[in-house]
Amino acid sequence: MRFKEYMALLYSSPLGLGSLGAGLALSLGLGLGGVPPLLGGAGGLGLVALVFVGSLVTGLGPRQARKAKEALLAREAAAKLHAASAARDKLARIRLPDPEMEKAVSLVVLRAGEYITAYSGTGLWDPESGAALEEALELVDIYCTEADQASVERRFSLPDKDPFPEAKARILAGLESAALALGEGVLRSGRELPAARRMEIREELK
């Protein structure tokens, strides 16, 4: 942990915030007692510095910084899993007329649910799985846009101004990759899965 990060974490912890509050209170108290503002401020800073040094000597400071970092990472993980859940729900609501596309999206939705379940309550998340879900959403959006444009062009006998060769096959391949990435993320979680499910995921990854 770098010193700059350590300081930021320490002074976001109860110990750090408490020392800052105590230092400010001492400065104000000295000022009210008639001590010149410069000396009062120095006294407050001295108290903060004293607590800082004492926390390093006793190890309390590093422990507080670690706890603050763990809390920060846990909040980040919760936000990422919330975003993943929202993306999964959005995918689950999409209805596509093409059976192959519908099946591919359903598989991504299933794997996303497994990923979210595997990481819930761990204080962790998997960046690659999160990226795979975002990729899947973008691919479905591309497919829907292309399908709409193709429908308009057919209806009005318009030329294809934006050719997209093998659009369906390429999007299906992308969705398959997203589903595989989510399966890998589940395995990386280290959470215990039924033996049959673990074997299914490993077979899919080959």
Side-chain angles (χ1 to χ4, degrees):
M1 186 185 299
R2 294 181 179 179
F3 182 74
K4 189 174 182 180
E5 181 188 11
Y6 171 74
M7 292 291 286
L9 290 169
L10 177 64
Y11 286 104
S12 67
S13 71
L15 174 65
L17 292 172
S19 71
L20 291 175
L24 178 60
L26 178 60
S27 296
L28 292 175
L30 291 173
L32 292 173
V35 175
L38 189 60
L39 291 178
L45 287 175
L47 177 59
V48 173
L50 182 64
V51 173
F52 175 76
V53 173
S55 70
L56 280 178
V57 172
T58 61
L60 180 60
R63 289 196 296 273
Q64 288 281 304
R66 280 196 298 273
K67 286 183 180 179
K69 185 169 186 176
E70 289 169 1
L72 179 65
L73 292 175
R75 289 194 296 272
E76 180 186 11
K80 295 294 185 180
L81 289 180
H82 179 76
S85 182
R88 176 188 176 275
D89 291 345
K90 187 174 180 179
L91 281 172
R93 289 193 297 269
I94 294 173
R95 293 293 176 264
L96 301 172
D98 187 292
E100 286 184 277
M101 291 296 299
E102 184 76 20
K103 183 178 179 181
V105 171
S106 295
L107 181 59
V108 172
V109 169
L110 175 64
R111 296 292 178 264
E114 293 176 345
Y115 157 64
I116 293 165
T117 299
Y119 283 86
S120 292
T122 66
L124 302 171
W125 67 289
D126 184 61
E128 292 182 27
S129 295
L133 255 179
E134 291 299 320
E135 177 73 8
L137 269 176
E138 186 176 355
L139 287 169
V140 172
D141 182 63
I142 290 171
Y143 173 79
C144 291
T145 300
E146 176 65 17
D148 289 343
Q149 289 177 351
S151 176
V152 170
E153 289 163 356
R154 285 194 302 270
R155 181 178 179 184
F156 297 101
S157 301
L158 299 174
D160 188 350
K161 293 183 180 180
D162 187 18
F164 190 165
E166 301 180 355
K168 178 181 171 181
R170 290 160 67 185
I171 292 172
L172 282 173
L175 290 171
E176 180 182 354
S177 294
L180 290 175
L182 288 162
E184 289 176 330
V186 172
L187 291 180
R188 282 193 294 270
S189 73
R191 297 292 286 269
E192 189 63 31
L193 296 173
R197 181 69 199 106
R198 291 203 307 274
M199 194 65 207
E200 285 174 6
I201 292 175
R202 292 188 182 281
E203 288 172 346
E204 291 168 0
L205 297 177
K206 290 181 180 179

